[in-house]
Amino acid sequence: MPLRMKLTAITLDCADPMELAAFYQRVTGYDLHPESDADFAGLTREDGISIAFQRVDDYRAPHWPDRTVPQQLHLDFHVDDLAEAEALLLESGAASPERQPGGERWRVFTDPAGHPFCVVGSVAMDTPAGPA
C-alpha cells in the first residue's frame, strides 16, 4: 500500500519573498499568511494548500526557454478566459517569453523572480501544459 501524503505547500526560492508573494496574491487572490516576512512568505487557500516563497542569498533566476539556469519547476493554473488572464498577468508584473509552445491551448509566463508558469485555458484542460 502506498504512503498517503497530502500536498500542503509548494515553495519557490527567490530574492524577495514579499515581492513575489504580492505578485501571486494579485493574480490568485490567495490570502497572505500573517507571519510572512522578508525571509519567508506564504499564500494560503481555503483548502489549506499554500504557495510559499523563501529568500535565497545570491538567487539566480531561471532563464526559460534556454537552460543556462534551469526552470527549476513550473506551476500550472487553469483559467476560463486565456486572453483576459494574459492581460491581467502582464499588467500585474508577469512577463511573456517569446517562445509559446502551447498555441491557443496555454501560455507560458514568468513571474517577477523569473520562474516560468503556465496558464491553461478551458479548452485545454484535457491536455497537460508545460514549458517543455
Side-chain angles (χ1 to χ4, degrees):
M1 174 182 264
L3 178 65
R4 298 212 184 266
M5 299 189 309
K6 179 181 176 183
L7 179 65
T8 58
I10 299 164
T11 303
L12 298 139
D13 290 348
C14 61
D16 186 338
M18 292 300 290
E19 176 185 54
L20 201 53
F23 167 77
Y24 279 102
Q25 185 177 31
R26 283 191 303 273
V27 301
T28 65
Y30 296 176
D31 296 320
L32 182 66
H33 191 280
E35 296 179 22
S36 296
D37 61 31
D39 289 320
F40 191 87
L43 300 176
T44 58
R45 289 188 334 190
E46 290 177 6
D47 65 2
I49 196 164
S50 66
I51 302 174
F53 314 94
Q54 64 186 5
R55 188 177 66 76
V56 172
D57 292 332
D58 301 319
Y59 171 74
R60 293 178 55 212
H63 290 250
W64 188 87
D66 75 40
R67 305 294 178 153
T68 53
V69 178
Q71 68 178 341
Q72 301 161 13
L73 68 93
H74 78 269
L75 302 171
D76 289 346
F77 295 94
H78 169 260
V79 296
D80 292 326
D81 186 319
L82 196 53
E84 179 182 32
E86 181 171 19
L88 174 65
L89 288 163
L90 295 173
E91 180 181 306
S92 296
S96 179
E98 188 173 319
R99 179 170 180 249
Q100 290 293 328
E104 295 304 312
R105 299 176 303 176
W106 75 83
R107 300 281 188 282
V108 179
F109 297 93
T110 55
D111 67 26
H115 302 107
F117 64 95
C118 294
V119 176
V120 182
S122 293
V123 296
M125 286 306 294
D126 60 347
T127 306

